Amino acid sequence: MSVSRDDFSIAFRSALLQRGATQKFSIFSLIIVALVIFFLDVYGFTVVKKSRSILNDIVYRVTYLASTPTRLFPGINQGIASHFNLRKENEELRQVIERYKSLDLNLEYITNENKNLKKVLDTENVKTVSNVVLAKVLVDRNSPFLKSIIINKGSKEGIIKGMPVTQNKYLIGRIVETNYLSSRVLLLNDLNSRVPVTFDEKSTQAILTGGGTRKPSLFYLPEDYKFIEGITVFASGKDGIFNAGTPIGKTTEDGEVDLFVDPNQLSFVTVNLIKPSKEIF
Amino acid sequence: MAEGNIINKLFSAGPLILLYYLSISEVDTNLEKLFEVFSLNLQIIIIYFWIIKRPSLMGTGHIFFVGLINDVVMGFPLGISSLSYLAVCFVGNYVRNKSVNTTIASDWFTFLIALIFANLLFFSLLNNFSDIAISYAKIGYNTFFTLFLFPVFWLLFNLYQITFIGNQDA
């Protein structure tokens, strides 16, 4: 009995403290270091925050570079495929040219219409346009637990936590972490995402809650509310973070929202430089 | 001779390179586009297998560093993945110290202990010290698929070991 206990303690100690030619650190010492780093980061000391911000910027750039092959290979495959389909592509292009020729006839009309519409735009809209930052998606790693992306613009461009992020004016998420040269965007389908929304003719209010799945769900609806498919859901702006009226997606019969923008297909996004009226984080 | 030596070293560094690459690149083992609940923690499988079979190829310092990189890329509090990976290392080291000869079945069983230990540490720390909410169902699926596919990767890594590393001293 005592022999087996000795065996256990020797194996246990050895597993924790053993070092060798290639194992320069014992597991025990590394666990202590990891715990210290973890608690320093969790309790948010300023020095650690700044160090993490610098580390984030460096790692995100390296990640972007390291992921280049995975972005290039699909492109190369497409290139090879299109080379073999050259004849078919040629015919399709001829048809496209014909279509464009017919569209050209309408160009003058559309140009005039565009001029008139520009006159309709007021100065408020022009101001809004200047308060946005176009950002490229650096890292889009599909984690099973967190649905977020990293963009190549940070506090240098005036981005702060809580700012809404859109693509083609459709809401996709909000900024949850800022570094000097990069930021993290929490997507609408993340489990931690909560957005007050409004929809239908009665301006029904609800909270759009991410579940880690593709489609976020609507919660806190009026009692016995029956969902109708295809109703556009807008941000209500009641949280003081998102612009009221920003379109998000369309309802489904199950009480989910089919987002206008596929969260897995993001390459460029727009950060609206609107200072949130309250800090939620 | 020297050229052969470099190639051998490169093959020996293969698992570590793969581990670094999985942590720092966009490549992920979360294939929810194909099958919504499918996700896999390949890093833990790599660490456990090589710690048991060839600990000289998996320096604990590297594992610690890989964990830090993973935390930065995934947006978790710093050090949490390192702790989880080190827990796997600890179980692996313990099993190696206690056993003379291992089989795929014994490795699979002990991997279950390592996986539960690592995930328990990871998610309890995340739950108690961070604001990040995580779906328990996703954790369950992730643990299940990681455990379920362990033998497949065991065979692949074993094949790699026999073919490219052999009995050479890494």
Side-chain angles (χ1 to χ4, degrees):
Chain A
M1 190 70 179
S2 65
V3 173
S4 70
R5 202 182 300 149
D6 280 350
D7 277 356
F8 169 77
S9 64
I10 289 166
F12 191 86
R13 257 186 292 155
S14 173
L16 265 183
L17 303 169
Q18 196 180 37
R19 285 161 60 187
T22 49
Q23 310 283 357
K24 292 188 178 65
F25 309 98
S26 69
I27 290 180
F28 181 73
S29 61
L30 288 173
I31 285 176
I32 298 292
V33 175
L35 275 172
V36 170
I37 292 173
F38 174 75
F39 284 111
L40 283 173
D41 189 36
V42 163
Y43 291 111
F45 292 99
T46 323
V47 182
V48 183
K49 269 188 177 176
K50 279 185 182 167
S51 316
R52 175 158 188 160
S53 178
I54 295 164
L55 185 71
N56 284 354
D57 276 335
I58 297 166
V59 172
Y60 293 158
R61 304 282 147 170
V62 176
T63 304
Y64 180 69
L65 286 175
S67 307
T68 311
T70 56
R71 287 196 202 94
L72 280 177
F73 280 126
I76 292 167
N77 282 342
Q78 277 176 5
I80 293 166
S82 67
H83 179 76
F84 286 111
N85 295 326
L86 215 59
R87 185 186 284 259
K88 195 182 168 190
E89 201 180 332
N90 191 26
E91 280 173 18
E92 281 174 5
L93 283 171
R94 276 176 196 276
Q95 285 174 2
V96 170
I97 288 168
E98 289 301 317
R99 221 180 305 145
Y100 274 115
K101 275 181 183 171
S102 65
L103 285 172
D104 195 41
L105 298 170
N106 292 324
L107 187 65
E108 197 180 331
Y109 170 75
I110 291 164
T111 310
N112 289 334
E113 192 184 30
N114 190 27
K115 277 179 190 170
N116 291 329
L117 284 169
K118 274 185 180 173
K119 284 176 194 168
V120 176
L121 285 169
D122 53 15
T123 49
E124 197 182 331
N125 283 340
V126 176
K127 263 186 190 172
T128 313
V129 168
S130 66
N131 283 337
V132 297
V133 170
L134 185 70
K136 188 180 178 183
V137 177
L138 274 185
V139 184
D140 181 11
R141 189 160 161 184
N142 199 8
S143 158
F145 308 118
L146 289 176
K147 307 289 175 195
S148 63
I149 53 166
I150 292 149
I151 56 171
N152 70 340
K153 297 284 162 68
S155 55
K156 188 186 170 193
E157 311 288 333
I159 294 174
I160 57 168
K161 270 185 186 181
M163 283 178 170
V165 182
T166 56
Q167 191 191 55
N168 298 332
K169 294 187 178 174
Y170 299 128
L171 191 67
I172 59 159
R174 65 164 192 266
I175 302 285
V176 286
E177 174 195 289
T178 52
N179 309 304
Y180 188 63
L181 296 170
S182 58
S183 307
R184 186 179 288 274
V185 180
L186 187 79
L187 299 173
L188 292 175
N189 62 335
D190 185 89
L191 191 66
N192 298 279
S193 171
R194 303 280 186 279
V195 181
V197 292
T198 182
F199 56 99
D200 76 18
E201 289 167 354
K202 292 176 187 169
S203 296
T204 304
Q205 305 289 316
I207 301 287
L208 185 71
T209 307
T213 51
R214 278 196 168 191
K215 294 174 185 174
S217 304
L218 292 164
F219 286 98
Y220 304 107
L221 287 148
E223 273 184 36
D224 302 325
Y225 185 85
K226 280 185 183 169
F227 288 102
I228 302 165
E229 200 172 330
I231 296 175
T232 308
V233 176
F234 301 93
S236 70
K238 288 200 170 178
D239 53 356
I241 295 176
F242 300 108
N243 283 336
T246 312
I248 294 173
K250 285 194 182 285
T251 55
T252 64
E253 278 181 351
D254 308 324
E256 292 179 328
V257 174
D258 198 0
L259 298 172
F260 284 131
V261 180
D262 184 354
N264 295 320
Q265 299 291 325
L266 299 166
S267 44
F268 286 93
V269 295
T270 312
V271 183
N272 299 304
L273 300 180
I274 301 157
K275 204 173 176 182
S277 57
K278 61 180 175 183
E279 190 86 9
I280 289 195
F281 309 96
Chain B
M1 191 71 178
E3 201 175 294
N5 212 5
I6 292 168
I7 292 168
N8 284 346
K9 279 189 175 175
L10 207 65
F11 280 132
S12 301
L16 201 60
I17 293 169
L18 178 65
L19 189 65
Y20 270 108
Y21 191 71
L22 282 173
S23 292
I24 207 155
S25 71
E26 269 184 2
V27 174
D28 52 57
T29 42
N30 178 28
L31 304 174
E32 63 175 17
K33 284 173 200 168
L34 298 172
F35 182 36
E36 189 155 358
V37 294
F38 184 83
S39 70
L40 169 75
N41 199 336
L42 190 55
Q43 280 101 321
I44 284 185
I45 296 178
I46 294 171
I47 292 168
Y48 191 74
F49 179 87
W50 292 103
I51 278 287
I52 281 208
K53 297 286 177 191
R54 286 294 181 100
S56 54
L57 303 185
M58 275 287 147
T60 44
H62 285 295
I63 291 169
F64 171 79
F65 194 59
V66 162
L68 286 185
I69 293 170
N70 192 59
D71 289 333
V72 172
V73 176
M74 303 295 258
F76 292 128
L78 276 185
I80 196 165
S81 294
S82 299
L83 277 168
S84 150
Y85 294 167
L86 289 169
V88 173
C89 279
F90 167 66
V91 177
N93 271 345
Y94 180 79
V95 169
R96 205 183 63 246
N97 288 339
K98 287 289 274 183
S99 51
V100 181
N101 202 8
T102 57
T103 59
I104 188 167
S106 66
D107 281 352
W108 198 6
F109 178 72
T110 50
F111 178 69
L112 169 68
I113 300 165
L115 187 63
I116 289 173
F117 193 36
N119 279 357
L120 204 66
L121 188 71
F122 185 90
F123 295 110
S124 55
L125 281 174
L126 206 63
N127 205 27
N128 289 307
F129 297 101
S130 152
D131 298 329
I132 298 169
I134 281 183
S135 158
Y136 291 107
K138 291 255 174 188
I139 298 168
Y141 289 133
N142 185 267
T143 309
F144 172 76
F145 285 115
T146 307
L147 182 68
F148 186 70
L149 290 171
F150 178 77
V152 177
F153 287 100
W154 192 97
L155 290 169
L156 283 174
F157 293 150
N158 213 29
L159 193 70
Y160 178 87
Q161 188 189 208
I162 293 162
T163 318
F164 298 113
I165 302 173
N167 289 321
Q168 57 161 301
D169 221 6

